[in-house]
Amino acid sequence: MTSQPFTIPTCGPGGASGATVSSYEPINFCVQPGDYVDFNDEGGYIENVYRSGVPYQVIGAARGATMDSFIMGNGTGNGATLSDAEVASADGFAANAGEELMLRATLGTGPDARYVCPGGTKEAPPAAPTAPVKLLPQTDAINRVHAADIVMYCRVAPTCDGTASLSALGGGAHYGSTRIDIPAHRTSHLEVPLTRRALRQFTRSRRTLPAALSVALDGQIVQQKVTLKIF
């Protein structure tokens, strides 16, 4: 996995010097136990000036240290294998004694890690409000008085007080409605009387009719697709 690209400061008047310390904050760089953090540079080739690429002063002398490096054109991207068996005069793996990468990585967790990483909560979008009623896909029976028996669960206290209605999928034809008054934290069966239009459509559809169930209460509308059927 790689972070988004960063621009390294250049040397010169008003630019970087040997004392420059630059900080970067990846937005999509997630790590897990066993991972290594490295520095990967690309570009910087200038004909007749920097044929080996623009040099970056990111390596320092460190007694007793060993820095591993890998060079390969188009060979260090996501999914690439950096094998120590790849050794050539101009690219591949190398172990550099007495040197170290002048990079310090800080691991962020919880509120210091972005929400795109497991366990991270930084800059997480606000959670969607919980619907006052829970509606599941269901097949609802049509009883002898031509009413649909629908099921819903009330999540709010003291009651779910509003309106339940059935209509044709995609809007349009109204199939019936009823008032609801369900105690909190209880699953209830409600009868929705069907209109004549719904019954005619029901006959045309051979005793099975898909419909949209809508529950309106406290300024919110919760919808679910249901199937009406005579058993």
Side-chain angles (χ1 to χ4, degrees):
M1 174 177 288
T2 58
S3 68
Q4 75 272 30
F6 295 109
T7 300
I8 303 297
T10 58
C11 297
S17 69
T20 298
V21 176
S22 301
S23 298
Y24 306 94
E25 185 175 350
I27 61 174
N28 59 344
F29 194 55
C30 306
V31 297
Q32 56 187 357
D35 285 348
Y36 291 88
V37 178
D38 63 27
F39 172 79
N40 184 34
D41 69 281
E42 59 184 28
Y45 174 83
I46 302 176
E47 181 69 28
N48 299 322
V49 180
Y50 294 122
R51 298 185 63 84
S52 298
V54 176
Y56 296 129
Q57 295 183 353
V58 295
I59 300 172
R63 182 180 301 176
T66 299
M67 183 188 71
D68 294 336
S69 62
F70 189 88
I71 301 174
M72 184 71 67
N74 296 319
T76 59
N78 285 341
T81 299
L82 311 184
S83 173
D84 58 6
E86 293 275 357
V87 179
S89 59
D91 55 20
F93 177 83
N96 310 97
E99 296 180 343
E100 68 177 5
L101 177 65
M102 295 187 294
L103 169 69
R104 183 177 67 180
T106 301
L107 176 65
T109 60
D112 295 320
R114 295 192 77 248
Y115 70 95
V116 295
C117 297
T121 58
K122 184 177 181 180
E123 299 176 358
T130 302
V133 294
K134 181 179 181 180
L135 303 176
L136 296 177
Q138 54 190 279
T139 298
D140 299 318
I142 305 302
N143 59 27
R144 294 181 180 179
V145 295
H146 299 157
D149 181 24
I150 63 175
V151 181
M152 66 181 66
Y153 176 80
C154 177
R155 288 189 172 118
V156 296
T159 62
C160 289
D161 184 7
T163 303
S165 60
L166 293 167
S167 61
L169 291 178
H174 175 65
Y175 288 166
S177 61
T178 189
R179 292 287 303 176
I180 63 173
D181 186 6
I182 306 173
H185 311 303
R186 182 178 299 180
T187 299
S188 297
H189 290 254
L190 300 173
E191 288 190 349
V192 179
L194 298 181
T195 62
R196 292 182 178 179
R197 174 179 289 185
L199 295 174
R200 288 195 300 268
Q201 188 65 30
F202 194 80
T203 301
R204 296 190 190 102
S205 63
R206 299 182 180 181
R207 303 171 68 87
T208 299
L209 180 65
L213 170 62
S214 298
V215 175
L217 52 90
D218 296 332
Q220 298 186 56
I221 297 179
V222 185
Q223 295 181 314
Q224 180 60 262
K225 179 181 177 180
V226 299
T227 300
L228 308 180
K229 185 176 181 179
I230 292 179
F231 289 90

